[in-house]
Every structure is written in C-alpha cells, then in structure tokens.
Amino acid sequence: MNESNMENEKTPLYVAFSTQKGGVGKTTFTVLAASYLYYLKGYDVAVVDCDYPQHSIAGMRKRDAEQVGADEDYKRMAYEQFTRLGKKAYPVLCSSPEKAIATADEHIAAGHVPDIVFFDLPGTVNSEGVINSLAGMDYIFTPISADKVVLESSLSFAMAIQKLLVKNEACRLAGLYLFWNMVDGREKTDLYTVYDKTIKELELPLMKTFIPDTKRYKKELVADKKAVFRSTLFPASHPLVRGSNLEELMTEIVYYIK
C-alpha cells in the first residue's frame, strides 16, 4: 500500500513488532518505524503503548518533550518540522495488553483514522491478553538474534503464532515476518547460513534486510549531540541512517503490508 492508497484507506493496519523474548529491540523498532513513516514518508500513524506497567514509549515521549523544551536547537528543529509537515507529533496511547485493540478502536471511533497503528506489546505471550491482541494484528514483525537461547525462544514464538493465528482463517493476522537484528558483520557468514536454512525448513518467512549490531539503535535525544536516531518527535537523522539498514527495513515492511 503506497502513500496515496493509504490516504484513501478507511481501515487502518494494525502492526506489531513482537516476540516473547525481551531485549531484542521490539520497542526500539516500534518507535523507529512510527517516526520514519510519519515524519519522513507522510503516513499517518498512532502508537499504542501496552507494555504495562513501564510504558517505555510513553516514557520516551515524555523525555523527548522535556529535552525539546530545554534545548534551543531541538526546539528549532521541532518548529521547522511542524512548519514543513503541518502536523503535530503522532499520538502515543497508553493501554494494557488485554485492552490494546479496544484502545486503538476507540481512538479511531473518535475520528482519528491513521494509516497504521503500531502496538508495543509485552515481551512474553504469557502476559494476560497478549495472545488476543496478537490475534487482532494485521502483521507481526519479529526481530531475532543469533544468540541460541533467544533464537530458540523466538522461533518457538513464531511457529506458535504461525500455526494458531496466521493459518487460522478466523483470525485477522495476515502474516508474521522474521528479521535478523544485532548482526555482527564478522559473523554474517556460516553461522547465519545454518540458521537461515533452519528457518526455511520451519517454513517461517525471513526478511532480506538484516540490522547490524550498532550502538546508534540506542541513541535518544541528548543535550550534547544533535544527531537523532531513536525519537518519538523526530525521524532518524540522515547521517545516522546510513549503514544502519533502517531505510531498507522500512521499505521491505511497507512492501509486505501494502
């Protein structure tokens, strides 16, 4: 779905970066995707933060706003961005896993109809309401890493979702896609070839784009550095995007959900 088609689409897409293992980047990619597509590509988005009780994205929005309010350079960037786009920052809605879909539905019923709603769900499918919320998604993207324990957990999660939800015609979920995260360039050889073969044998969709292991994915707004990567108020800065594979990942995601 391209920008012009999305503008005419009455039913927003519900998308989640989700896995049952914490620390693999689901919250980071939720923010990066929402900010990239909203501030750079013209999509209208909303984020439902149901990672209860910490609500990481809502906390990030609060820190972002405080930093912009206290820093003249960021304040100027925010003004220039608003002038250029003619729209405020995308909404971050706090919810709980069991009420995630209802929160998004209520936001839309109130007259706010985004193209995409991103959901940040807890890092375990054992949390109350997570499975029901996942069943309400249109697409799930699952970051995986080459750590054996993390990978086994992620593949177990993906196989369960594929069997219970994707292949269930009664469910809304149209697809789940894996992508490699935190890839050490020195290791993107035989080890990943073996893992890729295993994933293929399990008949799980694996995206072409992989994300390199780089500290920039942890970079928020800070007072002494004006380059932005992970922010709810700005898209990732061009110098930091180069070599991050973020653009490639977003292009591939849009291709799958169009």
Side-chain angles (χ1 to χ4, degrees), residues 27-28 30-32 34-36 38-39 45 47 49 56-65 68 81 88-92 219-221 228-236:
T27 298
T28 292
T30 302
V31 171
L32 287 169
S35 295
Y36 182 88
Y38 184 81
Y39 298 119
V45 309
V47 171
D49 182 353
S56 302
I57 296 179
M60 190 185 303
R61 168 59 62 82
K62 183 174 183 290
R63 293 193 300 275
D64 287 346
V68 167
Q81 178 171 268
K88 298 179 180 179
Y90 56 80
V92 175
K219 188 182 292 293
E220 293 189 33
L221 296 189
V228 177
F229 197 74
R230 187 178 62 178
S231 170
T232 67
L233 295 179
F234 302 106

Side-chain angles (χ1 to χ4, degrees), residues 67-80 234:
Q67 191 65 58
V68 167
D71 186 285
E72 290 302 320
D73 288 330
Y74 284 137
K75 197 176 295 184
R76 175 183 50 78
M77 285 170 57
Y79 174 77
E80 290 175 353
F234 302 106

Side-chain angles (χ1 to χ4, degrees), residues 2 19 21 29-30 34 47 59 73 75 77 91 104 117 132 144 149 153 161 177 186 197-198 231 240 245 248:
N2 58 33
T19 180
K21 198 70 177 175
F29 286 110
T30 302
V47 171
D73 288 330
K75 197 176 295 184
M77 285 170 57
V117 181
N132 287 337
I144 57 176
V149 174
S153 174
I161 297 300
Y177 299 91
R186 296 167 296 181
K197 182 180 178 182
T198 299
S231 170
L240 292 180
N245 285 0
E248 292 84 350

Side-chain angles (χ1 to χ4, degrees), residues 4-250:
S4 60
N5 286 338
M6 272 197 171
E7 288 172 0
N8 298 320
E9 182 61 57
K10 299 301 182 183
T11 304
L13 292 173
Y14 286 6
V15 177
F17 290 89
S18 184
T19 180
Q20 67 180 4
K21 198 70 177 175
V24 294
K26 62 181 184 60
T27 298
T28 292
F29 286 110
T30 302
V31 171
L32 287 169
S35 295
Y36 182 88
L37 294 177
Y38 184 81
Y39 298 119
L40 285 183
K41 295 300 179 181
Y43 297 100
D44 282 327
V45 309
V47 171
V48 178
D49 182 353
C50 32
D51 196 3
Y52 180 86
Q54 59 265 34
H55 286 140
S56 302
I57 296 179
M60 190 185 303
R61 168 59 62 82
K62 183 174 183 290
R63 293 193 300 275
D64 287 346
E66 289 172 349
Q67 191 65 58
V68 167
D71 186 285
E72 290 302 320
D73 288 330
Y74 284 137
K75 197 176 295 184
R76 175 183 50 78
M77 285 170 57
Y79 174 77
E80 290 175 353
Q81 178 171 268
F82 175 76
T83 302
R84 185 178 75 255
L85 298 178
K87 59 183 182 181
K88 298 179 180 179
Y90 56 80
V92 175
L93 312 171
C94 288
S95 186
S96 58
E98 61 271 18
K99 295 180 180 178
I101 302 298
T103 297
D105 290 346
E106 289 167 8
H107 180 69
I108 292 164
H112 313 287
V113 187
D115 301 311
I116 308 172
V117 181
F118 288 102
F119 294 78
D120 188 32
L121 295 163
T124 170
V125 293
N126 294 325
S127 295
E128 185 179 357
V130 172
I131 285 292
N132 287 337
S133 293
L134 289 173
M137 296 298 118
D138 291 295
Y139 297 93
I140 294 173
F141 295 92
T142 298
I144 57 176
S145 73
D147 177 279
K148 187 176 181 181
V149 174
V150 174
L151 184 59
E152 287 179 353
S153 174
S154 299
L155 294 182
S156 174
F157 164 82
M159 287 188 293
I161 297 300
Q162 190 85 338
K163 179 180 179 180
L164 296 173
L165 303 180
V166 177
K167 294 184 178 180
N168 185 346
E169 293 184 358
C171 291
R172 174 173 177 168
L173 185 60
L176 176 146
Y177 299 91
L178 306 172
F179 65 94
W180 286 113
N181 185 30
M182 298 183 288
V183 174
D184 186 330
R186 296 167 296 181
E187 294 181 353
K188 192 69 172 78
T189 52
D190 294 343
L191 177 63
Y192 286 90
T193 300
V194 172
Y195 286 150
D196 286 354
K197 182 180 178 182
T198 299
I199 292 169
K200 185 176 181 180
E201 290 172 350
L202 294 173
E203 298 183 345
L204 294 170
L206 178 63
M207 298 173 66
K208 295 178 181 179
T209 305
F210 68 89
I211 301 300
D213 188 9
T214 169
K215 292 180 180 178
R216 74 188 78 180
Y217 278 91
K218 299 178 177 64
K219 188 182 292 293
E220 293 189 33
L221 296 189
V222 290
D224 60 337
K225 295 181 180 178
K226 303 312 173 193
V228 177
F229 197 74
R230 187 178 62 178
S231 170
T232 67
L233 295 179
F234 302 106
S237 301
H238 289 297
L240 292 180
V241 168
R242 285 196 296 268
S244 71
N245 285 0
L246 176 61
E247 285 186 322
E248 292 84 350
L249 181 69
M250 292 301 106

